[in-house]
Structures are given as C-alpha cells and as structure tokens.
Amino acid sequence: MTATKYVYDFEEGNKDMKYLLGGKGANLAEMTNMGLPVPHGFTVTCEACNAFRAAGGQFPDGMLDEVGVHLVALEQKMGRGLGDPADPLLVSVRSGAPFSMPGMMDTVLNVGLNDASVEGLAKQTGSQRFAWDSYRRLLQMFGKTVMGVDGDRFEEAIDEAKHAKGVKNDLDLDEGDLHALVARFKQIIASETGRDFPQEPKEQLRLGIQAVFGSWDNKRAIDYRRKNKIADDLGTAVNVQSMVFGNKGDDSGTGVAFTRNPADGERAPYGDYLPNAQGEDVVAGIRNTMKLEEMADVQPQAWEELKGHLQALERHYRDMCDVEFTVEQGKLWMLQTRVGKRTAFAEWIMAYDMLDESLIDVDTALLRLDADRLEELFKKVVAVGTRLEAIASGLNASPGAAVGRAVFTADDAQAWAERGEDVILVRRETTPDDYHGMIRSQGILTSAGGTNSHAAVVARGEGIPAVCGADAIHVDRAERRFTVGSLTVAEGEWITIDGFTGKVYAGQLELADSPIERARSGDPEARREKIWQAYERFMARADQVRRLRVRANADTPQQSANAIERGAEGIGLCRTEHMFLGEERVAAVRTMIFASTAEEEHAAYDVLAPLQREDFVGIFREMDGKPVTVRLLDPPLHEFLPNQVDLAVAVALARQADAKEVEVSGERLPLAEAEELLDRVNDLHEANPMLGLRGLRLGIVKPGLYAMQVRAIVGAACQVKSEGGNPVVEIMIPLAATREELAQLREELEPVARQVTADRGVDLEVLWGTMIELPRAALTAGEIAEVAEFFSFGTNDLTQTTFGFSRDDIGKFLGLYEERKLVPVNPFVTIDRPGVGRLMRLACEEGRAAREHLHLGICGEHGGDPDSVRFCHEIGLDYVSCSPFRVPTARLAAGQAALGEASSASK
Ligand code: ADP
Ligand code: MG
Ligand code: MG
C-alpha cells in the first residue's frame, strides 16, 4: 500500500482538484501552470484535514515529514531558509476549502519572522520600518487566529500608539513606534494566553496548519455551512506560500480585480488598488483605495501586465474571474483567482457577451444562467443617482425596490390599497392571516424573521419585494408606527425598501423600471439595450430545446393575458373560488350553503351560473386555442362565511349591549340573523378544514354545485366557440382519493356537459381529469387513470398530506427543521424527491401504464421552482404550471433541464 499523499506543490495541481486542494489551492496551481507569476508554494490537502479531525486533532502519519520535504524544496527555489536570521524566507499560511467560506480562519502572513529574523529582513530590504511592520502584522494575525486572542486587543494597542503620537494613519507610525508595538503585542499574547509567541519558525508553521484545520469546526464555520448547505465532511486545505510584499513603499501595493464588472457585466476590468499595503488592507477599509484603472498612473507596467493576465484567465476559465494580487517594487504577483460572483443582471450580460466573443457556445451560456434569480431582471431598482442614507437594513429577502406608505396591519394594507394607495406593510413578522394584505402591498418590511420566514417566503412566491429582519426597527402595531433610534415613521408616511440590498429608506426614492419590463411594454429604447437582447436570445434557445410545456395558474382574463405575455402556453390551474367572492355573489353563495330545500339551493345556482359563465368567457377568449384547466370548487365552504370567532364575539357583544344590529364583515345584520348565521357557521366548523369537507367531497355532498359550474364552463366555451374562437377545455376535479369518487362524479357531470353542447348546437370536446394531491390517489393512480384523462399534481397539498405538515403551521418549526437538516429541502419550495417525488413518479408510471396518453402536469408553486421543474422533466410530465410571473423562470429551467444539467449544479 502506498502512503496517502498529503502535500502537493502548486506545480502538481490543477483547477479541477478543488475537493482535494480546496478552491484556493486548486486555482493557485492552475495559475502556476498557466505560467502566471504566482509566488511558489504548496498545499496540504483537505484529506489531511479530515484525517486530523478524525484523529481528534492529530496530524496523520507522515504529513509533517511531507510538509518538511516540500518546505526544503521551496527554500531551494527561493534561495532562502524559513526564518533564516540573515535572510529569512517568509510564508503565508492560508486556509482554503472546496467552497469559498468567509467566516473561516483568516490567513496568517509573514510566518517565519521572529526577534532575530526581523533584523535580517530589515538588513536585506534596507528598511527597518518595513521589517517591524511585517513583524507586528505576524504577531497580530498569529495572536488572533492561531492563539485565539481577541483581535480588538491589538487594534486598541494600535489606536493607543497613534493617539499617543497624535496621528491618524497607520503609515504615520515610524520604526520606533512599531518596535514598541511589537513588544506590546508580545505582552498581550503572553498575558491573554499564558504562552509566549513561538519564536521557532517551523513551530509557527506547524501551529498555523493546525489552527487552519481546527477552524473547520469552529462555530462560525459550522453556522456558515448550515446556512449555505455546504457539507461538513469536506474539510479545508492549507496553502503555504512564499510571501511577496505590497508594503515596501510607494512602488508596491495590493489589490483585488474582476475581469469584468460584477455589478453590470460591463466588459472591462474592475476593482480596487491600494498602494503600500499588505493583505487585506484593501478590503478592510483602512485607507481609501484607488480605482483599479488608476494603477495606470502609479504602476503603468504592472497595470499592463495585470490586464494581460486578466484576459488570459478569462480565456482560460471561459468565465469572469476575480483575483487578488500584489505589486512588490513594480513586480506583479498573482495571489488568488476563482470564477467570480455577480449580479443576475451581470450574469446575463456576460453570458451574452461571451457568446458573442465565441468564448462559450449558446448552450454553455444558457446553463450558466441561474433560473432561480431570473425574476430579479424584472424588478424595479432604486434609480441611480438617488443616494440617501438608509435608516435601517435587514435581509434582502425578496428582490426588487418598492415605495409606499407605511401601514401596520394586513387589513389596513388592503383598505389603503383598495383606495388606490401604494403601501408597504410593516410588521414584526407576518402570519398566514396577513396574506390578504401582503399581496396588496408594494413591499413588505419586517423587523424579525429570516430569509425563510413567512414574510420572505410569501413575498418571493408572490414576487413582492421584501426586506426582513431589519432588527433596528421597532414596530409598534397598536400605535401604528415604527421607530428606528430617534426617528419615528407613522402610518401613511412614505418609505422605500430595496429588496436587492436589504436597505430601508425614509421617504419616496425614485425607482426605475427594469429595462426588460420597459422593453416588453414596447419601449424602443429599452429594446435596444443589451439585457433585452440577451433575454430574447436565451429564452428563445430555452424554448427551442425544452420538452416540457409551460402553463400558468391564472383565474382572470387579466392574469391570463399576463401569462401569455410571459410565454405561457395554456392555463394549468384556473381556480374558481374567487368567482364566489364579490358583493353580488356573497348573498347567493350564502343561500346556497344554507339552503334547506332543493329549490332554495337551485335558486342560488341560478344567480351564480351566469356570473360564473361570464368569468370563463373572458378567460377562454384570452386563451384562444390554448388549453385551460378549470378546477371545480375546492376550498371548504366556511371560507365564504364570516370568521367564526369574530362573529361569535360580535354577537356576544351585541347581546351584552342590547344592540339590535351586529356588524359582520362590514355589513350590518339584525341580531337574530347574525345569531342564525353564527349557528350555521358553528355547524360548518371543522376541526381540520384542510382534511374536511372540501374538494370533490363538496361536489358529492352538494351535487348541484359542480353541475352548476360545469354548465357555466361548458356554456362559456360554447359561446366563445360560436363567436369563432377556439376554447380548449379541461375540467379538473380536485382532491380525489379513490377511483369511485371520480367515476361517480363524471357519471353525473358528463351528461350535464353534453346537454349544454347539445342545447347550444356546438361541437366541443371536454377533457376530464383530476388532481393528484393525496397519497392514496398517487398510490392508486393506475385505477384512477381509468376514469381520468389527465392528472395534475397538486404538490402543495400532496406535500402537506405526505409529510403531515399543515402549510399554515409550518412557520413554527420548519425553519428549525431546515437548520438541523431534518428535512433535505424546504418541501414547500422544492419537491421532496425521496418522498413526494417518489409518489409522483409512481403515479406517472402507473397512470401511463393504465392509459397510454394520460396527460400529466403539475400545478402548485413547485411548477415555478427550477429544481422542481428539472424533476418534472425527469419523470416525464407534459407540462408545468406556475404563477404568471414565474413562467419565464419555468421556461428557462425547462430548457436547462433538457440540456441535461441544472443551473444550480454548475454553481
Ligand atoms: P481569504 O481567503 O480571506 O481571501 P487569503 O488567503 O486570500 O484569505 O489571504 C488574504 C490576503 O492575504 C490576500 O488577498 C493577499 O493579499 C494576502 N496574502 C496571502 N498570501 C500572500 C503571500 N504569499 N504574499 C503576499 N500576500 C499574501
Ligand atoms: Mg483571498
Ligand atoms: Mg389542493
């Protein structure tokens, strides 16, 4: 057995080895082998880290020897010995996991310096100040990250030194001051840890490696992995690299650069440069940095070289890269690179440009687009040039900027919005009871709650901008106002939120429409913008390659029009429940619910039927030639009645006050009538309405109800057809559990439909199908397919009933479940493949076995989730259906699925 190799020279690795060498190590190796100027070094593998952890903090056998061999080779290459008092080699010890992980251990620079070698460094470089500055940096970084001293202690000491001298800038401390600081730092380390700073260079190196390995299991790192779904068993590598110095004077410096602009995608290098600085000074905000391109003035040669390297990296990686670099006395060194993060907007622009530059082909470009973030392109943004101080900031929970008047309850949001006001609903945290107000708000702001809170989930689902967990805000619901520090924002005052950045502003900021929205509404100028060209180009390609059809969930002609505009090819779910709301209908619905005789009940249907028919006429006209799946009434009837508790309270109060009338949902009723209403409401009360009298159970208990709906649907279709239109009608019966339920209803309803077409003399074919949303339906799909021409997976209910999780109550535990990995994904966002997905797969297989041309689709919000779309592609559904504004997302995801990869997998 050959011993495991734990250490790789940069010359031995490449970019594809990130699981072994970590991202930083793999890319340092890649750059080395590309011939870019990378300071020599080697990488201790993630595997060594895992062995170290498994052994309870012991280096694996042979690892230190291997480090020793590579160190000697490094010393030979550099012509110096680590910490040699005469002419020391110094190294950095850098952590580097397979995925970028801020919150891990920081890097330790200048390892190898000690009381003796600091003098050697001074002599070799001719600068006492430089040598002592480097030494104090080592003490500070080593003290903090390896020995665990609170970093503030060092910062305080620096501040004291500057204060004593009356200067503000680190650069104003001279060699004497730094000499004193070094002594002070050593003292701090000794008194805080009870140990002296180790003078022996190899000991420093060993402890450095050990600390990086150990940092994999520190709390910050663990929390970060949880949050970002990074596996705990990857481990981190350690890179040991010879130091180069950006702090040697004005002809030196350090910087970060992107090969293109990560914010807007513009095709030009972008970044910051800081002269006479080392390491992270450039991002730490210690001094004002220069714009990258200003290097042209101070470091013309290094700048030209850097531009060449950036271009080489892009050509090599065929993607935008970011880099860290240092200039030492005019000589450029590359210290890090990786494929860089970017905004959704920049991602599309870059993909488009790189295709144009023949850097990538169209399918590579398409796969690079993150379908999950597509909707960001449609959102309003805070107009450039309107710079205002934010009053608070929270999590960027749902993208887009929004302006509105602050309101503090969902009812107020609804009432103000109905008056035509733009509102932002401000709550500590929202609950399902707030839904009606949330969907009428321009934006949502909460002071508690994370990115998976109710507010965040609903906002994203509905495409409403949201900032959540802005904890500096104190919401006072009773007084209808919020305070931030000394500022008070009262109801009706304007605020602006930016769901891209998480910032909250007082007042009305100017917003700009996204160019894509402007282009879509025909603005010729917007149509010339590159983002629109990119959008058209890639969506066309996605449409060309996808196999899944994409439909929308739409209940009104307006929503249908929106859906078509976004590329929907039909309606996969037209809910009929909203057609039961509205003033003129409520009375009839109530009569229907409470009818004690068949006559009463039918009188109510006679009122409702023509109204329903009109609704469908509008939709069929809009969707001409495209399939429309209409779902017969699904929710429990009590949803059309006043809230039980509110009504009981109102009645009790009226009795107590001897009032003759009671106010019920804005309506004044005589007390006796209200009491009767309450009795009926009590009769209809269900312990668990989700599993109660709803779906086709209503159709069975109230036979006239579905017949009325079928008459309205088919009647409308006949009317549109007589007008010369082409309605494509699918009637969907919800919540089937058994074949018999469906068989019986079809037996009752099909003659109704036939009667209408015969009466009207119209030739119309209707498809009859059901939703698969109960486990039993999925498990007996073969039987059910005998009486259904299509299935539509109602994955919201199927998820609830498979997990036994009530969707309205998950707020109490699902966050914790996700955090503790008790569920693999949030199953209400992404289809749970092993459970819910398995039922779906089974239902597809057995359904198709029983009926070869069974038409299969999904409605429910999963239809707009890219991962779920991919799953639907895999199990061979015919279409997905989602809310109109998610249609482009689903089209893109379906195209990517057809190309055989998900965008998320490539990230
Ligand atoms: P992070 O993962 O936090 O970016 P790095 O390992 O990249 O940490 O180190 C941070 C910074 O330290 C780098 O950007 C670079 O400026 C500096 N640095 C690291 N290694 C060296 C080196 N060998 N020579 C000079 N500077 C270095
Ligand atoms: Mg770095
Ligand atoms: Mg359902």
Side-chain angles (χ1 to χ4, degrees):
M1 200 186 103
T2 49
T4 313
K5 178 173 165 66
Y6 287 120
V7 185
Y8 287 73
D9 194 274
F10 288 167
E11 278 149 23
E12 295 176 290
N14 66 57
K15 68 174 167 32
D16 301 323
M17 295 167 74
K18 73 172 184 186
Y19 283 96
L20 187 65
L21 304 178
K24 200 180 287 169
N27 288 316
L28 281 168
E30 189 77 15
M31 283 202 290
T32 300
N33 293 317
M34 281 171 69
L36 299 187
V38 176
H40 291 298
F42 54 85
T43 305
V44 189
T45 64
C46 299
E47 212 179 334
C49 172
N50 286 330
F52 170 88
R53 295 167 62 227
Q58 296 290 315
F59 289 128
D61 283 349
M63 190 206 90
L64 278 182
D65 296 339
E66 243 186 290
V67 169
V69 170
H70 282 265
L71 182 61
V72 169
L74 182 62
E75 289 174 329
Q76 276 164 1
K77 271 184 212 153
M78 304 301 298
R80 295 183 180 130
L82 183 70
D84 178 342
D87 183 11
L89 168 68
L90 305 185
V91 296
S92 60
V93 176
R94 315 173 63 185
S95 67
F99 297 95
S100 164
M101 275 183 57
M104 284 283 296
M105 195 197 104
D106 302 313
T107 287
V108 182
L109 303 180
N110 308 334
V111 167
L113 278 178
N114 55 24
D115 294 348
S117 63
V118 66
E119 297 292 358
L121 184 66
K123 214 172 300 141
Q124 286 298 326
T125 58
S127 170
Q128 286 284 338
R129 187 188 184 283
F130 164 74
W132 286 93
D133 186 47
S134 300
Y135 194 19
R136 75 92 190 155
R137 286 172 190 261
L138 169 64
L139 288 164
Q140 189 172 348
M141 286 186 264
F142 197 94
K144 181 173 163 211
T145 60
V146 180
M147 301 184 76
V149 178
D150 178 357
D152 288 349
R153 300 298 319 276
F154 300 113
E155 294 297 345
E156 285 157 16
I158 294 176
D159 286 344
E160 275 164 31
K162 286 196 283 195
H163 188 74
K165 200 169 174 163
V167 298
K168 287 213 165 64
N169 199 315
D170 290 7
L171 290 179
D172 295 328
L173 296 177
D174 64 22
E175 64 180 79
D177 302 323
L178 292 165
H179 215 290
L181 260 187
V182 162
R184 179 81 192 98
F185 281 8
K186 283 198 271 188
Q187 250 172 24
I188 291 174
I189 290 175
S191 67
E192 297 278 316
T193 68
R195 282 176 296 152
D196 283 330
F197 169 75
Q199 289 287 324
E200 167 55 39
K202 289 212 173 72
E203 174 77 351
Q204 293 171 6
L205 180 59
R206 194 180 61 75
L207 289 173
I209 296 172
Q210 186 173 313
V212 173
F213 282 174
S215 71
W216 181 257
D217 292 308
N218 73 28
K219 185 166 164 358
R220 271 189 310 167
I222 292 171
D223 288 348
Y224 184 86
R225 290 198 292 273
R226 287 269 145 83
K227 209 161 131 240
N228 293 278
K229 306 200 159 57
I230 294 174
D232 285 327
D233 59 4
L234 295 174
T236 179
V238 183
N239 302 289
V240 178
Q241 184 176 34
S242 55
M243 284 297 302
V244 291
F245 298 98
N247 53 335
K248 272 194 179 168
D250 287 337
D251 59 351
S252 303
T254 185
V256 294
F258 294 84
T259 57
R260 311 186 180 208
N261 189 312
D264 63 16
E266 197 203 335
R267 222 190 130 181
Y270 173 91
D272 301 283
Y273 180 72
L274 188 60
N276 198 8
Q278 191 180 42
E280 309 255 272
D281 293 356
V282 66
V283 284
I286 295 173
R287 280 183 278 146
N288 285 341
T289 57
M290 299 165 65
K291 283 209 183 87
L292 187 69
E293 56 274 22
E294 292 174 41
M295 266 182 84
D297 305 327
V298 293
Q299 291 282 355
Q301 202 192 326
W303 168 237
E304 285 307 316
E305 244 179 85
L306 179 66
K307 280 194 296 185
H309 296 340
L310 295 180
Q311 226 178 49
L313 283 169
E314 259 205 3
R315 273 200 303 272
H316 188 80
Y317 283 81
R318 295 176 187 280
D319 206 343
M320 184 266 270
C321 298
D322 62 32
V323 308
E324 296 177 356
F325 65 92
T326 281
V327 181
E328 179 178 323
Q329 296 179 315
K331 162 93 180 107
L332 176 67
W333 294 97
M334 304 296 278
L335 293 175
Q336 183 176 319
T337 192
R338 68 190 159 193
V339 170
K341 294 210 188 333
R342 63 207 75 181
T343 63
F345 186 92
E347 177 174 83
W348 282 69
I349 296 286
M350 286 180 198
Y352 186 75
D353 280 345
M354 288 182 189
L355 173 60
D356 187 46
E357 295 155 31
S358 301
L359 209 55
I360 52 177
D361 64 20
V362 64
D363 292 342
T364 305
L366 191 68
L367 285 170
R368 235 177 231 184
L369 303 170
D370 186 348
D372 255 326
R373 295 175 66 196
L374 170 56
E375 56 180 283
E376 293 181 20
L377 301 190
F378 297 87
K379 300 297 180 182
K380 289 189 175 168
V381 295
V382 173
V384 285
T386 47
R387 280 285 149 256
L388 206 75
E389 274 301 304
I391 55 169
S393 70
L395 301 162
N396 49 349
S398 179
V403 173
R405 296 172 183 273
V407 293
F408 295 88
T409 71
D411 288 345
D412 290 339
Q414 178 170 11
W416 285 62
E418 279 168 3
R419 292 206 302 268
E421 298 281 0
D422 284 347
V423 296
I424 291 185
L425 178 60
V426 185
R427 299 297 311 269
R428 186 174 178 282
E429 168 55 315
T430 61
T431 69
D433 293 336
D434 294 323
Y435 183 76
H436 61 289
M438 297 171 77
I439 56 172
R440 287 177 175 84
S441 302
Q442 301 298 308
I444 294 164
L445 168 62
T446 67
S447 60
T451 46
N452 278 313
S453 61
H454 178 263
V457 170
V458 170
R460 284 197 297 272
E462 299 290 339
I464 303 167
V467 171
C468 293
D471 50 18
I473 284 178
H474 177 74
V475 181
D476 188 340
R477 184 174 171 204
E479 296 291 329
R480 289 186 157 63
R481 65 177 184 210
F482 73 80
T483 52
V484 200
S486 57
L487 180 80
T488 299
V489 174
E491 183 180 52
E493 289 187 39
W494 288 94
I495 57 173
T496 302
I497 61 169
D498 187 339
F500 285 114
T501 59
K503 297 253 188 289
V504 182
Y505 303 89
Q508 256 175 303
L509 260 60
E510 193 191 332
L511 303 189
D513 275 331
S514 96
I516 295 212
E517 286 296 3
R518 282 190 288 125
R520 251 207 326 228
S521 54
D523 175 351
E525 201 183 309
R527 281 175 181 253
R528 280 193 295 274
E529 285 194 32
K530 198 185 276 174
I531 187 69
W532 174 250
Q533 314 270 330
Y535 180 74
E536 291 237 289
R537 175 85 174 85
F538 293 129
M539 292 307 283
R541 180 64 184 162
D543 288 342
Q544 198 176 33
V545 296
R546 71 187 155 88
R547 189 183 50 65
L548 279 172
R549 303 285 93 197
V550 177
R551 297 194 193 180
N553 301 344
D555 311 341
T556 64
Q558 179 60 47
Q559 288 176 0
S560 309
N562 283 341
I564 289 180
E565 210 198 349
R566 288 168 164 75
E569 298 161 294
I571 292 182
L573 175 62
C574 173
R575 303 177 179 92
T576 52
E577 32 271 29
H578 91 271
M579 300 173 184
F580 279 60
L581 302 172
E583 252 170 72
E584 46 179 349
R585 307 180 184 199
V586 160
V589 170
R590 237 178 243 172
T591 313
M592 178 225 11
I593 294 174
F594 295 148
S596 45
T597 68
E599 283 78 39
E600 269 175 42
E601 193 173 323
H602 280 98
Y605 293 144
D606 288 343
V607 176
L608 288 169
L611 296 171
Q612 282 245 287
R613 188 164 58 238
E614 276 317 300
D615 295 328
F616 294 125
V617 165
I619 292 170
F620 289 139
R621 277 190 191 137
E622 203 62 62
M623 297 305 294
D624 192 47
K626 299 186 173 70
V628 177
T629 308
V630 183
R631 179 176 71 185
L632 301 181
L633 194 70
D634 182 53
L637 293 178
H638 72 80
E639 288 195 8
F640 302 101
L641 298 177
N643 178 282
Q644 186 190 29
V645 174
D646 293 350
L647 182 59
V649 169
V651 166
L653 288 175
R655 280 183 189 143
Q656 201 174 35
D658 253 340
K660 299 214 162 39
E661 287 191 329
V662 180
E663 192 175 314
V664 179
S665 351
E667 199 188 341
R668 301 204 68 83
L669 290 183
L671 179 58
E673 223 171 284
E675 285 174 328
E676 196 184 319
L677 183 60
L678 179 58
D679 282 346
R680 300 305 181 88
V681 170
N682 287 337
D683 288 346
L684 281 176
H685 177 75
E686 294 177 311
N688 194 341
M690 197 123 57
L691 303 177
L693 178 58
R694 55 168 290 215
L696 55 61
R697 299 165 202 164
L698 283 172
I700 287 167
V701 172
K702 286 201 169 283
L705 175 63
Y706 277 7
M708 179 275 286
Q709 290 201 294
V710 168
R711 257 195 304 278
I713 296 163
V714 178
C718 288
Q719 181 181 332
V720 172
K721 196 145 187 189
S722 337
E723 292 166 0
N726 179 20
V728 183
V729 185
E730 303 177 347
I731 296 181
M732 179 155 79
I733 299 175
L735 213 72
T738 71
R739 176 194 186 279
E740 284 62 37
E741 287 172 313
L742 213 53
Q744 190 178 325
L745 279 171
R746 271 190 77 170
E747 223 163 86
E748 281 169 29
L749 298 174
E750 271 183 283
V752 174
R754 272 198 300 275
Q755 184 69 48
V756 176
T757 51
D759 288 351
R760 298 241 178 184
V762 172
D763 188 19
L764 182 85
E765 208 195 317
V766 175
L767 278 189
W768 297 84
T770 189
M771 293 182 74
I772 302 293
E773 51 189 336
L774 295 174
R776 192 183 191 285
L779 293 168
T780 58
E783 286 177 17
I784 289 178
E786 291 167 12
V787 289
E789 285 152 326
F790 65 86
F791 286 171
S792 176
F793 289 97
T795 46
N796 297 340
D797 269 315
L798 189 59
T799 300
Q800 300 200 82
T801 50
T802 300
F803 276 90
F805 286 173
S806 147
R807 205 182 186 193
D808 294 335
D809 298 313
I810 49 173
K812 298 194 176 75
F813 59 86
L814 195 60
L816 187 70
Y817 263 53
E818 281 186 90
E819 209 175 286
R820 298 209 183 146
K821 298 196 173 148
L822 303 177
V823 283
V825 288
N826 177 338
F828 291 98
V829 174
T830 298
I831 289 172
D832 155 57
R833 290 181 181 226
V836 176
R838 181 154 184 231
L839 285 171
M840 290 173 70
R841 195 186 285 274
L842 180 110
C844 289
E845 285 166 8
E846 301 201 349
R848 281 219 168 109
R851 182 190 287 267
E852 192 186 340
H853 296 294
L854 181 70
H855 201 61
L856 297 170
I858 176 177
C859 52
E861 273 310 307
H862 294 97
D865 166 66
D867 270 350
S868 307
V869 170
R870 191 159 119 92
F871 178 70
C872 293
H873 172 90
E874 285 168 18
I875 62 172
L877 297 195
D878 296 295
Y879 69 87
V880 296
S881 187
C882 55
S883 65
F885 75 90
R886 296 287 285 185
V887 165
T889 303
R891 286 162 59 203
L892 177 59
Q896 293 176 331
L899 289 176
E901 273 178 75
S903 57
S904 52
S906 64
K907 296 245 144 176

